[in-house]
Amino acid sequence: MIYAYIMMVFVVIFYAGNILTGKAINELPPFTIAFFRLVVAFMIMLPFGLRSGWAYRHKFLEYKKPFMMMTLTGITFFNTFIYGALQFTTSTNVSVLETVIPVATVVLSAILLKERLRNVQLAGVFVSLIGAVWVVLDGDIFSIANMDWNIGDGIMIGAIGSWAVYSILVKKYIHLFPQFGALFVMSGISIVVLLPIVIVEWAIAGVPMELTAPANITGLVYLGIFPSFIALVLYNRGVEALGASQASVFLNFLPIVTMIGAYLWLDETITIMKMAGALTVIFGVMLTTRKNNESAKTRFRKTAE
């Protein structure tokens, strides 16, 4: 049991590292970061996913529409939105807004899948949204009417929506495919989709000379290996040992770990208001996703981090 807890601690650290590293190398354009991260992940997953991916090729074709939607929302664009947001806002804000994803998934499930929300879940949705807005506004709720909105916080809405849609599709379809084979194929498709976008990005902004900087190369390698591969393996083993509900609770501590890392590594300021808002979001998420909604949290940041 202690071994499982240790694994989940490393999962949270690696996922927080995804945000912190994305912020540290944000001199690179967001599509460039997402593209090369996936290239590294694809190469790492090659010996693990090639055989099963090929064996299930007919299954991928049979369910090509939902599989493509899962690929685009969960693998291709989810982290692209995150890296785009990190160009403009802090890693702390991104980590807190990211924890709203399970709440958005529950709400979207109620709308699309007609799943009924209990009163305690509705309360959790409200509390989480208040906490997220509190963090973005640094506690000054009354400034919402006349504030200049940070575009990065707005971009995170795209990330929240992408992963919510992905989670619903995963709930319905992911059991049809082999885990590593599916991730391998998804990464390959995402590389193909992002390549022309990266070319356009470079044509507009120029080829980033910083791409060859040792720190940026190290950052891209980290993003491809640890959040995308090792953390996934540890998380899945943690779920096997602890159960989905107990393991997923650890992910609610992502903002806390990210805040500490941002303070130590990126010199970001942590205010009491932001800490209070983060704790409020965590409390709201735990209310919203308790008991019969553990599936939404099970899928939260499982493969695209």
Side-chain angles (χ1 to χ4, degrees), residues 2 9 20 22 29 120 139 146 148 150 155 191 201 245 257 276 295 305:
I2 297 298
V9 168
L20 296 171
V120 67
N146 54 12
D148 293 326
N150 187 316
I155 292 174
I191 289 171
E201 185 176 62
S245 181
V257 178
S295 58
E305 290 292 328

Side-chain angles (χ1 to χ4, degrees), residues 11 17 39 56 62 104 134 153 163 191 193 198 242:
V11 168
V39 169
Y56 276 75
E62 181 180 355
W134 187 278
D153 298 325
W163 197 265
I191 289 171
V193 171
V198 171
L242 302 173

Side-chain angles (χ1 to χ4, degrees), residues 267-302:
D267 296 323
E268 288 186 9
T269 301
I270 302 176
T271 65
I272 297 297
M273 293 300 183
K274 285 189 181 291
M275 292 178 63
L279 292 174
T280 302
V281 171
I282 291 171
F283 177 67
V285 169
M286 295 179 72
L287 284 178
T288 307
T289 56
R290 62 185 299 181
K291 293 185 180 179
N292 64 330
N293 286 282
E294 68 177 36
S295 58
K297 291 176 73 176
T298 303
R299 307 301 180 186
F300 175 46
R301 292 199 51 88
K302 212 173 175 188

Side-chain angles (χ1 to χ4, degrees), residues 12-91:
V12 174
I13 291 173
F14 292 152
Y15 284 168
N18 180 57
I19 298 173
L20 296 171
T21 302
K23 182 65 175 180
I25 65 173
N26 71 347
E27 60 185 350
L28 299 176
F31 286 106
T32 299
I33 297 175
F35 175 78
F36 283 102
R37 165 189 179 272
L38 285 169
V39 169
V40 173
F42 182 82
M43 294 172 62
I44 294 297
M45 283 187 280
L46 186 62
F48 300 92
L50 178 59
R51 179 176 296 180
S52 60
W54 178 255
Y56 276 75
R57 63 189 183 280
H58 299 299
K59 187 70 72 173
F60 294 136
L61 291 174
E62 181 180 355
Y63 294 92
K64 57 182 177 294
K65 289 184 179 180
F67 186 78
M68 183 61 71
M69 281 296 297
M70 284 191 293
T71 300
L72 294 177
T73 55
I75 307 300
T76 309
F77 291 116
F78 170 66
N79 273 291
T80 304
F81 278 123
I82 289 180
Y83 301 141
L86 287 168
Q87 301 278 327
F88 304 98
T89 192
T90 66
S91 57

Side-chain angles (χ1 to χ4, degrees), residues 34-194:
F35 175 78
F36 283 102
R37 165 189 179 272
L38 285 169
V39 169
V40 173
F42 182 82
M43 294 172 62
I44 294 297
M45 283 187 280
L46 186 62
F48 300 92
L50 178 59
R51 179 176 296 180
S52 60
W54 178 255
Y56 276 75
R57 63 189 183 280
H58 299 299
K59 187 70 72 173
F60 294 136
L61 291 174
E62 181 180 355
Y63 294 92
K64 57 182 177 294
K65 289 184 179 180
F67 186 78
M68 183 61 71
M69 281 296 297
M70 284 191 293
T71 300
L72 294 177
T73 55
I75 307 300
T76 309
F77 291 116
F78 170 66
N79 273 291
T80 304
F81 278 123
I82 289 180
Y83 301 141
L86 287 168
Q87 301 278 327
F88 304 98
T89 192
T90 66
S91 57
T92 295
N93 280 22
V94 167
S95 67
V96 172
L97 292 172
E98 206 170 342
T99 61
V100 179
I101 290 174
V103 176
T105 303
V106 170
V107 173
L108 204 58
S109 295
I111 296 172
L112 299 180
L113 304 181
K114 308 303 180 183
E115 294 183 355
R116 188 175 180 179
L117 291 180
R118 294 172 291 122
N119 289 336
V120 67
Q121 292 175 291
L122 291 172
V125 170
F126 179 75
V127 170
S128 294
L129 292 177
I130 290 296
V133 173
W134 187 278
V135 169
V136 172
L137 301 181
D138 200 14
D140 191 4
I141 294 290
F142 297 104
S143 70
I144 191 169
N146 54 12
M147 72 171 292
D148 293 326
W149 285 95
N150 187 316
I151 189 175
D153 298 325
I155 292 174
M156 276 303 296
I157 296 175
I160 293 169
S162 291
W163 197 265
V165 171
Y166 172 77
S167 297
I168 292 175
L169 292 170
V170 161
K171 181 177 182 180
K172 188 174 182 180
Y173 295 104
I174 199 63
H175 67 279
L176 299 171
F177 312 108
Q179 176 177 286
F180 290 115
L183 287 174
F184 174 74
V185 175
M186 285 178 173
S187 297
I189 293 173
S190 297
I191 289 171
V192 173
V193 171
L194 287 175

